[in-house]
Amino acid sequence: MSAEGALGEARLITPLRSKGGHRRYSRYQLRIAARARELVDQGTPIKAACRIIILEDQLEEAQRLNAEYHRTTESANPPAAE
């Protein structure tokens, strides 16, 4: 199975289709595919690479939400002046 097929099978990347039936990928999807290729080229099995990418994505989102939460909390409760 090709890496592209494995990525699709793992539902890591699902391209949109043009009217002519051609696959269309977003920049984000291309970035994910490049990361998967990098991991596979380093010897990581494709299924493990997909899981790593999903976990990296979840971590990035959690960090973004955490930073947003801290910005909101700090603006609502400014530090007391000494």
Side-chain angles (χ1 to χ4, degrees), residues 21-39:
H22 298 281
R23 290 180 290 237
R24 300 191 56 122
Y25 296 94
S26 68
R27 286 190 175 121
Y28 172 76
Q29 289 172 319
L30 293 173
R31 216 170 45 245
I32 294 294
R35 178 68 176 132
R37 171 57 64 192
E38 177 185 328
L39 289 168

Side-chain angles (χ1 to χ4, degrees), residues 5-81:
L7 292 176
E9 186 177 298
R11 295 180 190 216
L12 190 60
I13 296 175
T14 305
L16 296 174
R17 296 279 179 172
S18 69
K19 290 180 183 179
H22 298 281
R23 290 180 290 237
R24 300 191 56 122
Y25 296 94
S26 68
R27 286 190 175 121
Y28 172 76
Q29 289 172 319
L30 293 173
R31 216 170 45 245
I32 294 294
R35 178 68 176 132
R37 171 57 64 192
E38 177 185 328
L39 289 168
V40 169
D41 287 349
Q42 293 172 359
T44 306
I46 190 71
K47 286 189 176 201
C50 290
R51 184 69 182 138
I52 289 168
I53 292 166
I54 289 166
L55 291 170
E56 287 174 342
D57 224 28
Q58 290 173 343
L59 175 60
E60 185 179 321
E61 177 67 5
Q63 289 172 331
R64 186 191 66 75
L65 291 171
N66 189 37
E68 184 179 311
Y69 170 77
H70 283 288
R71 276 192 306 276
T72 303
T73 311
E74 289 170 3
S75 65
N77 303 312

